Amino acid sequence: MTEYLIMFNDEWVREHTAEEIREKGAASRAVIEEMRAADVLIFSNGALDRSTAVCSVELVDGKPVFTDGPYVETKEHLGGFAVVDVPDDATARYWAGRLATVLDWPQEVHRFRGPGEARRNGSGEK
């Protein structure tokens, strides 16, 4: 199996009413539940934008320097994502297509080069 990141940038999404966001949230949660049932979901989260950035950090003279908020040069912001563990590109595309369909905004698929590190196993235990 291979891990994939399915994601969208906040800038790719037009402004929505609160009702539209509720409807799309419910629709996307249904797809996430399908991913769980298929045992491919590793992790998912969303509702990220410029306002959710806590800080940025960069190395200056060998030491980390923290600045409140997003990095000044950032033009785009991650809006939401799902990480899935599936057998191939076609299956990753399937799940990205499901999300793009229910949300009606673009998704991008990235294949990780190898397995990642996790704080917890799939049962939620450390």
Side-chain angles (χ1 to χ4, degrees):
M1 299 287 266
T2 305
E3 294 174 354
Y4 292 82
L5 171 68
I6 302 169
M7 51 80 59
F8 67 92
N9 282 345
D10 186 53
E11 287 71 24
W12 301 348
V13 180
R14 67 169 175 77
E15 289 294 318
H16 285 75
T17 65
E19 180 60 27
E20 289 173 318
I21 291 295
R22 279 191 293 280
E23 289 171 2
K24 292 191 184 232
S28 64
R29 282 190 295 281
V31 174
I32 295 301
E33 286 304 317
E34 289 178 38
M35 290 177 176
R36 274 196 190 100
D39 197 28
V40 301
L41 181 69
I42 294 174
F43 183 77
S44 179
N45 213 326
L48 301 171
D49 61 22
R50 182 178 186 88
S51 71
T52 62
V54 173
C55 70
S56 59
V57 60
E58 63 181 312
L59 192 63
V60 177
D61 297 326
K63 295 181 181 177
V65 174
F66 294 86
T67 305
D68 289 342
Y71 187 67
V72 178
E73 297 300 318
T74 301
K75 302 277 189 287
E76 294 183 340
H77 302 278
L78 179 65
F81 64 93
V83 179
V84 296
D85 190 10
V86 295
D88 52 38
D89 291 0
T91 308
R93 288 172 182 252
Y94 167 79
W95 290 112
R98 294 281 295 120
L99 287 169
T101 300
V102 300
L103 292 169
D104 191 26
W105 59 65
Q107 301 291 311
E108 192 168 272
V109 178
H110 295 263
R111 183 184 325 107
F112 288 103
R113 295 176 193 233
E117 302 295 328
R119 180 176 71 117
R120 297 180 173 156
N121 66 22
S123 69
E125 297 173 3
K126 288 185 179 183

